[in-house]
Amino acid sequence: MLTVRNIHQYYGGSHILRDVSFEARPGEVTVLLGRNGVGKTTLLKSLMGLVPIKSGSIEFDGRPVHGKTPYERARAGMGFVPQGREIFARLTVEENLRMGLAYRSASTPIPPALFELFPVLKQMLHRRGGDLSGGQQQQLAIARALAPGPKLLILDEPTEGIQPSIIKDIGRVIRMLAGRGDMAIVLCEQYYDFAQELADHYLVMERGEVIARGEGKDMEARGVRQLVAI
Ligand SMILES: Nc1ncnc2c1ncn2[C@@H]1O[C@H](COP(=O)(O)OP(=O)(O)OP(=O)(O)O)[C@@H](O)[C@H]1O
Ligand SMILES: [Mg+2]
Protein backbone atom coordinates (compact mmCIF):
# COMPACT_ATOMS: atom_id res chain seq x y z
CA MET A 1 0.00 0.00 0.00
CA LEU A 2 2.69 2.48 1.08
CA THR A 3 6.39 2.01 0.34
CA VAL A 4 8.86 4.61 1.54
CA ARG A 5 12.45 4.30 0.34
CA ASN A 6 15.53 6.15 1.51
CA ILE A 7 13.93 9.48 2.32
CA HIS A 8 16.15 12.43 3.18
CA GLN A 9 14.64 15.74 4.24
CA TYR A 10 16.12 19.08 5.35
CA TYR A 11 14.77 22.20 7.04
CA GLY A 12 17.22 24.74 5.64
CA GLY A 13 20.64 23.36 6.50
CA SER A 14 19.38 20.92 9.14
CA HIS A 15 19.33 17.34 8.01
CA ILE A 16 16.14 16.04 9.67
CA LEU A 17 15.15 12.74 8.01
CA ARG A 18 18.07 10.40 7.32
CA ASP A 19 17.51 7.53 4.94
CA VAL A 20 14.11 6.50 6.24
CA SER A 21 12.52 3.43 4.63
CA PHE A 22 9.45 1.43 5.64
CA GLU A 23 6.26 -0.13 4.38
CA ALA A 24 2.66 0.01 5.55
CA ARG A 25 0.30 -2.75 4.48
CA PRO A 26 -3.51 -2.91 4.32
CA GLY A 27 -5.16 -4.36 7.41
CA GLU A 28 -2.15 -3.48 9.55
CA VAL A 29 -1.23 -0.75 11.99
CA THR A 30 2.34 0.48 11.59
CA VAL A 31 3.39 2.46 14.65
CA LEU A 32 6.10 5.08 14.61
CA LEU A 33 7.66 5.81 17.99
CA GLY A 34 10.31 8.22 19.15
CA ARG A 35 11.01 10.96 21.65
CA ASN A 36 10.19 14.65 21.11
CA GLY A 37 11.81 16.27 18.12
CA VAL A 38 13.19 13.15 16.42
CA GLY A 39 11.33 13.87 13.19
CA LYS A 40 8.08 11.91 13.45
CA THR A 41 5.83 14.74 12.32
CA THR A 42 8.30 15.71 9.61
CA LEU A 43 8.14 12.16 8.27
CA LEU A 44 4.34 12.09 8.25
CA LYS A 45 4.19 15.52 6.59
CA SER A 46 6.66 14.29 3.98
CA LEU A 47 4.37 11.37 3.22
CA MET A 48 1.52 13.81 2.58
CA GLY A 49 3.69 16.24 0.60
CA LEU A 50 3.30 19.00 3.19
CA VAL A 51 7.09 19.29 3.38
CA PRO A 52 9.33 18.50 0.39
CA ILE A 53 11.85 15.67 0.50
CA LYS A 54 15.33 16.07 -0.90
CA SER A 55 15.70 12.50 -2.12
CA GLY A 56 14.10 9.10 -1.85
CA SER A 57 10.76 7.78 -3.05
CA ILE A 58 7.23 7.34 -1.77
CA GLU A 59 4.99 4.85 -3.53
CA PHE A 60 1.31 4.62 -2.73
CA ASP A 61 -1.05 2.06 -4.16
CA GLY A 62 1.54 1.05 -6.74
CA ARG A 63 2.34 4.58 -7.97
CA PRO A 64 5.03 7.08 -7.07
CA VAL A 65 3.47 10.05 -5.25
CA HIS A 66 6.54 11.99 -4.09
CA GLY A 67 6.15 14.43 -7.01
CA LYS A 68 2.49 15.05 -6.25
CA THR A 69 0.80 17.83 -4.26
CA PRO A 70 -0.87 17.14 -0.90
CA TYR A 71 -4.21 17.59 -2.64
CA GLU A 72 -3.39 14.93 -5.22
CA ARG A 73 -2.19 12.56 -2.52
CA ALA A 74 -5.42 13.05 -0.58
CA ARG A 75 -7.35 12.38 -3.77
CA ALA A 76 -5.34 9.23 -4.36
CA GLY A 77 -6.59 7.94 -0.99
CA MET A 78 -4.14 9.18 1.63
CA GLY A 79 -5.88 10.51 4.75
CA PHE A 80 -4.09 12.62 7.37
CA VAL A 81 -4.94 13.47 10.97
CA PRO A 82 -2.41 16.16 11.93
CA GLN A 83 -0.78 16.60 15.31
CA GLY A 84 -2.84 19.11 17.28
CA ARG A 85 -5.92 18.15 15.24
CA GLU A 86 -6.19 21.38 13.21
CA ILE A 87 -9.93 21.36 13.03
CA PHE A 88 -11.66 24.55 11.91
CA ALA A 89 -12.72 26.15 15.19
CA ARG A 90 -15.29 28.53 13.73
CA LEU A 91 -16.95 25.96 11.49
CA THR A 92 -19.55 23.52 12.77
CA VAL A 93 -18.87 19.82 13.17
CA GLU A 94 -20.88 19.21 10.01
CA GLU A 95 -18.89 21.81 8.06
CA ASN A 96 -15.63 20.32 9.31
CA LEU A 97 -16.73 16.92 8.05
CA ARG A 98 -17.67 18.47 4.70
CA MET A 99 -14.14 19.86 4.44
CA GLY A 100 -12.99 16.25 4.43
CA LEU A 101 -15.21 15.72 1.38
CA ALA A 102 -14.02 18.87 -0.40
CA TYR A 103 -12.62 17.03 -3.40
CA ARG A 104 -15.86 15.10 -3.91
CA SER A 105 -18.96 16.49 -5.63
CA ALA A 106 -21.02 18.88 -3.50
CA SER A 107 -23.90 16.41 -3.22
CA THR A 108 -21.73 13.70 -1.59
CA PRO A 109 -23.36 12.90 1.74
CA ILE A 110 -21.40 12.59 4.98
CA PRO A 111 -21.07 8.80 5.36
CA PRO A 112 -23.45 7.72 8.15
CA ALA A 113 -20.87 5.12 9.25
CA LEU A 114 -18.80 7.98 10.69
CA PHE A 115 -21.50 8.58 13.27
CA GLU A 116 -21.47 4.92 14.22
CA LEU A 117 -17.74 5.21 14.88
CA PHE A 118 -18.11 8.52 16.74
CA PRO A 119 -21.72 8.94 17.98
CA VAL A 120 -20.82 12.14 19.82
CA LEU A 121 -20.30 13.89 16.48
CA LYS A 122 -23.92 13.29 15.54
CA GLN A 123 -25.11 14.88 18.78
CA MET A 124 -22.86 17.85 18.17
CA LEU A 125 -23.35 18.25 14.43
CA HIS A 126 -24.26 21.94 14.63
CA ARG A 127 -21.85 22.94 17.35
CA ARG A 128 -18.73 24.88 16.44
CA GLY A 129 -15.54 22.86 16.31
CA GLY A 130 -13.82 25.23 18.72
CA ASP A 131 -16.47 24.54 21.37
CA LEU A 132 -15.73 20.79 21.45
CA SER A 133 -13.49 19.20 24.08
CA GLY A 134 -10.00 18.16 23.01
CA GLY A 135 -11.07 14.53 22.77
CA GLN A 136 -14.14 15.39 20.71
CA GLN A 137 -11.99 17.51 18.40
CA GLN A 138 -9.65 14.57 17.93
CA GLN A 139 -12.59 12.34 17.01
CA LEU A 140 -13.74 15.02 14.59
CA ALA A 141 -10.28 15.22 13.01
CA ILE A 142 -10.25 11.45 12.52
CA ALA A 143 -13.78 11.45 11.11
CA ARG A 144 -12.87 14.29 8.73
CA ALA A 145 -9.94 12.24 7.42
CA LEU A 146 -12.15 9.16 7.06
CA ALA A 147 -15.00 10.98 5.29
CA PRO A 148 -13.71 10.53 1.72
CA GLY A 149 -12.89 6.84 2.34
CA PRO A 150 -9.06 6.79 2.36
CA LYS A 151 -7.02 3.64 1.74
CA LEU A 152 -4.29 4.88 4.04
CA LEU A 153 -4.88 6.69 7.32
CA ILE A 154 -1.97 8.59 8.86
CA LEU A 155 -2.41 9.74 12.45
CA ASP A 156 0.02 12.03 14.28
CA GLU A 157 -0.20 11.54 18.07
CA PRO A 158 -3.96 11.17 18.38
CA THR A 159 -3.80 10.65 22.17
CA GLU A 160 -1.90 13.87 22.91
CA GLY A 161 -3.70 15.79 25.65
CA ILE A 162 -6.78 13.56 25.61
CA GLN A 163 -8.69 11.97 28.47
CA PRO A 164 -8.37 8.18 28.98
CA SER A 165 -11.96 7.23 28.10
CA ILE A 166 -11.70 8.87 24.68
CA ILE A 167 -8.23 7.37 24.14
CA LYS A 168 -9.88 3.97 24.58
CA ASP A 169 -12.60 4.85 22.06
CA ILE A 170 -10.01 6.03 19.54
CA GLY A 171 -8.00 2.83 20.06
CA ARG A 172 -11.10 0.74 19.39
CA VAL A 173 -11.83 2.65 16.19
CA ILE A 174 -8.25 2.21 14.91
CA ARG A 175 -8.32 -1.52 15.65
CA MET A 176 -11.70 -1.84 13.95
CA LEU A 177 -10.56 0.05 10.84
CA ALA A 178 -7.47 -2.15 10.56
CA GLY A 179 -9.63 -5.23 11.11
CA ARG A 180 -11.66 -4.46 7.98
CA GLY A 181 -8.52 -5.33 6.07
CA ASP A 182 -8.62 -2.75 3.28
CA MET A 183 -7.00 0.22 4.97
CA ALA A 184 -3.37 0.71 5.97
CA ILE A 185 -2.77 2.72 9.13
CA VAL A 186 0.36 4.64 10.09
CA LEU A 187 0.20 5.85 13.67
CA CYS A 188 2.77 8.08 15.31
CA GLU A 189 2.58 7.87 19.08
CA GLN A 190 4.50 8.70 22.23
CA TYR A 191 2.05 6.98 24.58
CA TYR A 192 3.79 3.62 24.70
CA ASP A 193 0.98 1.41 26.04
CA PHE A 194 -1.44 2.68 23.41
CA ALA A 195 1.15 2.15 20.67
CA GLN A 196 1.96 -1.36 21.81
CA GLU A 197 -1.67 -2.37 22.02
CA LEU A 198 -2.30 -1.35 18.43
CA ALA A 199 0.98 -2.12 16.67
CA ASP A 200 1.23 -4.87 14.11
CA HIS A 201 4.63 -3.41 13.21
CA TYR A 202 6.72 -0.77 14.90
CA LEU A 203 9.49 1.64 13.95
CA VAL A 204 11.56 3.61 16.42
CA MET A 205 13.15 6.88 15.31
CA GLU A 206 16.05 8.74 16.83
CA ARG A 207 17.52 11.92 15.35
CA GLY A 208 15.75 11.37 12.04
CA GLU A 209 16.83 7.76 11.63
CA VAL A 210 14.98 4.49 12.10
CA ILE A 211 17.01 2.75 14.82
CA ALA A 212 14.75 -0.23 15.53
CA ARG A 213 11.84 -2.01 13.89
CA GLY A 214 9.91 -5.24 14.19
CA GLU A 215 6.56 -6.83 14.95
CA GLY A 216 4.26 -5.31 17.54
CA LYS A 217 4.11 -8.50 19.57
CA ASP A 218 7.88 -8.30 20.21
CA MET A 219 7.96 -4.69 21.37
CA GLU A 220 8.12 -5.39 25.08
CA ALA A 221 10.72 -8.16 24.76
CA ARG A 222 12.93 -6.00 22.55
CA GLY A 223 12.97 -3.19 25.09
CA VAL A 224 11.17 -0.61 22.94
CA ARG A 225 9.58 0.86 26.09
CA GLN A 226 13.03 1.80 27.37
CA LEU A 227 14.13 3.09 23.97
CA VAL A 228 11.41 5.71 23.92
CA ALA A 229 11.17 6.43 27.66
CA ILE A 230 11.68 10.11 28.42
N1 LIG B 1 9.16 24.14 10.04
C1 LIG B 1 10.33 23.83 10.59
N2 LIG B 1 11.45 24.54 10.33
C2 LIG B 1 12.66 24.21 10.88
N3 LIG B 1 12.83 23.18 11.71
C3 LIG B 1 11.76 22.44 12.03
C4 LIG B 1 10.45 22.72 11.49
N4 LIG B 1 9.58 21.81 11.98
C5 LIG B 1 10.30 21.00 12.79
N5 LIG B 1 11.61 21.37 12.82
C6 LIG B 1 12.67 20.68 13.54
O1 LIG B 1 12.80 19.37 13.01
C7 LIG B 1 13.02 18.41 14.03
C8 LIG B 1 11.94 17.33 13.99
O2 LIG B 1 10.70 17.92 14.33
P1 LIG B 1 9.35 17.09 14.30
O3 LIG B 1 8.24 18.03 14.58
O4 LIG B 1 9.29 16.29 13.06
O5 LIG B 1 9.57 16.11 15.54
P2 LIG B 1 8.55 15.12 16.27
O6 LIG B 1 9.27 13.83 16.42
O7 LIG B 1 7.24 15.12 15.59
O8 LIG B 1 8.40 15.81 17.71
P3 LIG B 1 7.16 15.80 18.74
O9 LIG B 1 7.20 14.48 19.40
O10 LIG B 1 7.49 16.91 19.69
O11 LIG B 1 5.91 16.05 17.97
C9 LIG B 1 13.08 19.20 15.32
O12 LIG B 1 14.42 19.45 15.61
C10 LIG B 1 12.35 20.48 15.01
O13 LIG B 1 12.82 21.53 15.80
MG1 LIG C 1 5.36 15.60 16.19
Side-chain angles (χ1 to χ4, degrees), residues 40-41 83 156-157:
K40 304 182 297 297
T41 296
Q83 185 166 18
D156 195 349
E157 301 211 32

CSV table of all heavy atoms in Angstrom, one decimal, residues 40-41 83 156-157, ligand 2:
chain,number,residue,atom,x,y,z
A,40,LYS,N,9.3,12.7,13.8
A,40,LYS,CA,8.1,11.9,13.4
A,40,LYS,C,7.1,12.7,12.6
A,40,LYS,O,6.6,12.2,11.6
A,40,LYS,CB,7.4,11.5,14.8
A,40,LYS,CG,8.3,10.7,15.7
A,40,LYS,CD,7.5,10.2,16.9
A,40,LYS,CE,7.0,11.3,17.8
A,40,LYS,NZ,8.1,12.2,18.4
A,41,THR,N,6.8,13.9,13.1
A,41,THR,CA,5.8,14.7,12.3
A,41,THR,C,6.4,15.1,10.9
A,41,THR,O,5.6,15.1,9.9
A,41,THR,CB,5.5,16.0,13.1
A,41,THR,OG1,4.9,15.6,14.3
A,41,THR,CG2,4.6,17.0,12.4
A,83,GLN,N,-1.0,16.4,13.9
A,83,GLN,CA,-0.8,16.6,15.3
A,83,GLN,C,-1.5,17.9,15.7
A,83,GLN,O,-1.4,18.9,15.0
A,83,GLN,CB,0.7,16.7,15.5
A,83,GLN,CG,1.1,16.8,17.0
A,83,GLN,CD,2.6,16.6,17.2
A,83,GLN,OE1,3.4,16.7,16.3
A,83,GLN,NE2,3.0,16.3,18.4
A,156,ASP,N,-1.1,11.5,13.6
A,156,ASP,CA,0.0,12.0,14.3
A,156,ASP,C,-0.4,12.3,15.7
A,156,ASP,O,-1.1,13.3,16.0
A,156,ASP,CB,0.5,13.3,13.6
A,156,ASP,CG,1.9,13.7,14.1
A,156,ASP,OD1,2.4,13.2,15.1
A,156,ASP,OD2,2.5,14.6,13.4
A,157,GLU,N,0.0,11.4,16.6
A,157,GLU,CA,-0.2,11.5,18.1
A,157,GLU,C,-1.6,11.8,18.4
A,157,GLU,O,-1.9,12.9,19.1
A,157,GLU,CB,0.7,12.6,18.7
A,157,GLU,CG,2.2,12.2,18.4
A,157,GLU,CD,3.2,12.7,19.5
A,157,GLU,OE1,2.7,12.8,20.7
A,157,GLU,OE2,4.3,13.0,19.2
B,2,MG,MG,5.4,15.6,16.2
